[in-house]
């Protein structure tokens, strides 16, 4: 995937520079960091939006909630209702997975202000003048309408203009002007010349139901051999699917299924010297056979894995893969892209460590690399490769040790293409760091 610059919430033209725009919209919620990050809902769940909407003086304000899919230009709208103290509320239910935007607009409604004032008028001369003004408002609404609505509003305008001069009973005159049905018709075609649109299009991510809740089960494919001695295969994993389904799990999580590095391979109980029959850590990814886009040869072929994904789906189970962005010393990346790794003063590659812990069999990526764009692109391609094999759920190993900006870009772009993806953050870290990972796009999380 090609790395594009990060985009924040779009800022609309500043209508406040037009002194005739008198409505105010502020304190829109929900809103995460001023619209910097999207809020999240699952498909079918309503998003309830509130905002403070008001104007100077005593004029009546109208407010509407606006929303659209990110890839659509046309906005949907629904009226907002006042709930007290200039606070307004409305809701909408997204109809598809993916990224959406929502906002709020408001304007001083001259027609509703006229109607509100007419209800309180008592002086006959004032009433007749107000009805003449109402005739103009009705005619203008008719010009904005079309078809039968335009004809109905035009006829109403004509009756109001005539009645203002001929109707002797001011109560009957007010009753004609305050006709509820015709008022509802007129409000459908408001004058929005001076509306204020909240200047931030707030983002929303809509996920599938399994993003909200799922039951995970884990086992090592290499331990799935029927006799407990030989190395398990993907075909062996198929035989365990009924067992997993019977327990009620809907996600089966596999640790990394890639070639295991031989260089600096760890032995039993984390010993530095591996015996000939030691299989090594599956998180030490990469060997001569390949890296993150390859499968460990003893497990079987890539086609075997794809068959397993399909068989699991028949049991209502999804296969979740581990994404561990790190390399064994003999991973092809180490020789093909040496700039992606940090060097120590003796010119050796810096292996992973969390003093006093040392992971000599793992090289972490350097996210401050001069070739950071190439690194980002390749890592996103790794996820996309496995999506192509039918995987839509990923458990990400230690995402808090990788650049925040990378996750924001990659998850956003990947979910734009595949909105049904789910990312689980496995991060044993501090609450604020985990909160940041959630804002960056991780769907679920766990820690220790």
């Amino acid at each position: 995937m090609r790395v594009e610059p990060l985009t924040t919430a779009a800022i609309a033209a500043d209508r406040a520079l037009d002194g005739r725009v008198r409505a105010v919209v502020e304190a829109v919620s929900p809103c995460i960091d001023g619209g910097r990050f999207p809020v999240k809902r699952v498909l079918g769940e309503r998003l309830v939006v509130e905002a403070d909407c008001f104007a100077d003086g005593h004029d009546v304000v109208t407010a509407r909630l606006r929303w659209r899919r990110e890839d659509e230009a046309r906005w949907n709208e629904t009226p907002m209702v006042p709930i007290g103290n200039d606070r307004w509320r409305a809701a909408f239910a997204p109809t598809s997975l993916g990224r959406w935007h929502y906002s709020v607009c408001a304007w001083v409604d001259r027609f509703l202000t006229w109607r509100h004032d007419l209800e309180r008028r008592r002086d006959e001369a004032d009433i007749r003048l107000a009805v003449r003004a109402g005739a103009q408002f009705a005619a203008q609404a008719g010009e904005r309408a079309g078809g039968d609505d335009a004809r109905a509003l035009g006829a109403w305008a004509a009756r109001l203009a005539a009645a203002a001069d001929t109707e002797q009973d001011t109560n009957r005159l007010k009753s004609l002007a305050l006709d509820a049905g015709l008022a509802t018709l007129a409000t459908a075609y408001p004058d929005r010349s001076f509306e204020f649109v909240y200047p931030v299009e707030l983002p929303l991510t809509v996920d599938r139901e399994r993003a909200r809740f799922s039951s995970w089960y884990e086992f090592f494919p290499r331990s799935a051999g029927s006799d407990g001695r030989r190395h398990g295969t993907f075909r062996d994993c198929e035989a365990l699917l009924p067992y997993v389904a019977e327990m009620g799990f809907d996600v089966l999580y596999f640790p990394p299924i890639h070639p295991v590095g031989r260089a600096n391979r760890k032995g039993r109980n984390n010993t530095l010297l591996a015996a000939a029959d030691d299989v090594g850590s599956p998180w030490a990814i990469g060997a001569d056979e390949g890296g993150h886009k390859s499968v460990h040869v003893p497990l079987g072929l890539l086609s075997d894995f794809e068959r397993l994904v399909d068989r699991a789906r028949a049991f209502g189970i999804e296969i979740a893969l581990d994404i561990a962005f790190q390399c064994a010393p003999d991973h092809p990346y180490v020789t093909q892209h040496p700039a992606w790794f940090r060097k120590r003063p003796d010119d050796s590659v810096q292996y992973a460590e969390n003093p006093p812990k040392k992971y000599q069999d793992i090289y972490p990526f350097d996210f401050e690399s001069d070739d950071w764009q190439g690194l980002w692109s390749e890592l996103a391609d790794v996820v996309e490769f496995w999506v192509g094999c039918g995987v839509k759920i990923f458990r990400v190993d230690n995402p808090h040790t990788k650049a925040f900006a990378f996750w924001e870009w990659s998850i956003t772009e990947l979910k734009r293409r595949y909105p049904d993806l789910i990312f689980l953050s496995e991060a044993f870290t501090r609450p604020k760091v985990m909160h940041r990972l959630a804002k960056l796009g991780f769907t679920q999380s766990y820690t220790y």
Side-chain angles (χ1 to χ4, degrees), residues 291-345:
H292 286 74
K293 299 176 185 177
S294 303
V295 297
H296 194 44
V297 173
L299 292 173
L301 302 174
L302 183 61
S303 59
D304 295 324
F305 175 75
E306 292 173 324
R307 170 190 159 97
L308 172 61
V309 172
D310 289 337
R311 290 285 296 140
R313 194 175 293 116
F315 285 93
I317 296 171
E318 288 190 65
I319 301 295
L321 275 191
D322 193 289
I323 292 293
F325 284 145
Q326 58 202 29
C327 297
D330 42 339
H331 193 298
Y333 288 158
V334 178
T335 54
Q336 295 171 1
H337 302 282
W340 292 354
F341 303 91
R342 187 168 297 174
K343 295 292 187 68
R344 297 191 295 182

Side-chain angles (χ1 to χ4, degrees), residues 68-133:
R68 64 177 178 87
R69 279 187 55 90
E70 185 179 59
D71 56 359
E72 294 179 343
R74 186 182 67 84
W75 288 90
N76 305 283
E77 287 189 347
T78 192
M80 301 187 78
V81 296
I83 58 175
N85 194 27
D86 292 319
R87 192 72 175 163
W88 295 66
R89 177 187 294 158
F92 72 96
T95 54
S96 61
L97 301 178
R99 199 172 178 96
W100 293 70
H101 292 281
Y102 61 97
S103 186
V104 173
C105 63
W107 62 90
V108 171
D109 196 313
R110 296 182 66 199
F111 174 79
L112 290 181
T113 299
W114 163 79
R115 195 170 188 275
H116 175 262
D117 289 346
L118 178 59
E119 290 176 332
R120 298 184 298 166
R121 292 188 186 279
R122 298 291 181 266
D123 184 80
E124 179 180 347
D126 286 346
I127 291 172
R128 294 189 184 280
L129 284 173
V131 171
R132 291 192 184 98

Side-chain angles (χ1 to χ4, degrees), residues 57-363:
H58 303 287
D59 290 339
V60 176
V61 169
T62 293
R64 289 187 181 176
L65 170 62
R66 316 166 75 229
W67 73 92
R68 64 177 178 87
R69 279 187 55 90
E70 185 179 59
D71 56 359
E72 294 179 343
R74 186 182 67 84
W75 288 90
N76 305 283
E77 287 189 347
T78 192
M80 301 187 78
V81 296
I83 58 175
N85 194 27
D86 292 319
R87 192 72 175 163
W88 295 66
R89 177 187 294 158
F92 72 96
T95 54
S96 61
L97 301 178
R99 199 172 178 96
W100 293 70
H101 292 281
Y102 61 97
S103 186
V104 173
C105 63
W107 62 90
V108 171
D109 196 313
R110 296 182 66 199
F111 174 79
L112 290 181
T113 299
W114 163 79
R115 195 170 188 275
H116 175 262
D117 289 346
L118 178 59
E119 290 176 332
R120 298 184 298 166
R121 292 188 186 279
R122 298 291 181 266
D123 184 80
E124 179 180 347
D126 286 346
I127 291 172
R128 294 189 184 280
L129 284 173
V131 171
R132 291 192 184 98
Q136 295 177 352
F137 288 132
Q140 291 165 0
E143 293 172 359
R144 292 188 290 270
D148 292 341
D149 289 350
R151 287 186 285 274
L153 289 168
W156 185 39
R159 290 201 306 273
L160 288 178
D165 294 326
T166 60
E167 177 59 60
Q168 299 300 313
D169 187 336
T170 55
N171 288 328
R172 286 170 55 85
L173 183 59
K174 286 181 66 174
S175 179
L176 174 63
L178 295 173
D179 183 283
L182 289 169
T184 299
L185 184 60
T187 56
Y189 304 98
D191 180 1
R192 300 172 63 167
S193 302
F194 305 128
E195 77 172 352
F196 178 80
V197 179
Y198 189 67
V200 179
E201 294 183 11
L202 299 172
L204 163 70
T205 294
V206 180
D207 289 305
R208 53 193 172 113
E209 182 66 28
R210 196 161 286 183
R212 181 203 297 254
F213 177 82
S214 51
S215 300
W216 289 50
Y217 188 77
E218 174 189 6
F219 66 73
F220 282 65
R222 71 187 187 187
S223 300
S226 57
D227 59 7
R229 298 176 183 176
R230 63 179 178 84
H231 196 291
T233 66
F234 292 132
R235 292 299 179 103
D236 292 322
C237 294
E238 285 188 31
L240 292 174
L241 291 174
Y243 166 71
V244 176
E246 184 180 1
M247 290 188 290
F249 293 97
D250 53 24
V251 176
L252 175 56
Y253 155 58
F254 287 163
I257 59 173
H258 316 297
V260 178
R262 297 180 181 86
N264 297 342
R265 177 177 289 188
K266 294 290 187 72
R268 290 175 176 81
N269 299 318
N270 206 37
T271 58
L272 294 179
L273 296 177
D277 60 345
D278 281 333
V279 293
S281 168
W283 282 272
I285 297 171
D288 292 340
E289 305 93 290
H292 286 74
K293 299 176 185 177
S294 303
V295 297
H296 194 44
V297 173
L299 292 173
L301 302 174
L302 183 61
S303 59
D304 295 324
F305 175 75
E306 292 173 324
R307 170 190 159 97
L308 172 61
V309 172
D310 289 337
R311 290 285 296 140
R313 194 175 293 116
F315 285 93
I317 296 171
E318 288 190 65
I319 301 295
L321 275 191
D322 193 289
I323 292 293
F325 284 145
Q326 58 202 29
C327 297
D330 42 339
H331 193 298
Y333 288 158
V334 178
T335 54
Q336 295 171 1
H337 302 282
W340 292 354
F341 303 91
R342 187 168 297 174
K343 295 292 187 68
R344 297 191 295 182
D346 63 0
D347 206 38
S348 62
V349 178
Q350 174 64 62
Y351 55 75
E353 58 181 347
N354 184 14
K357 295 180 181 179
K358 295 182 179 182
Y359 305 92
Q360 295 91 337
D361 56 341
I362 291 175
Y363 287 170

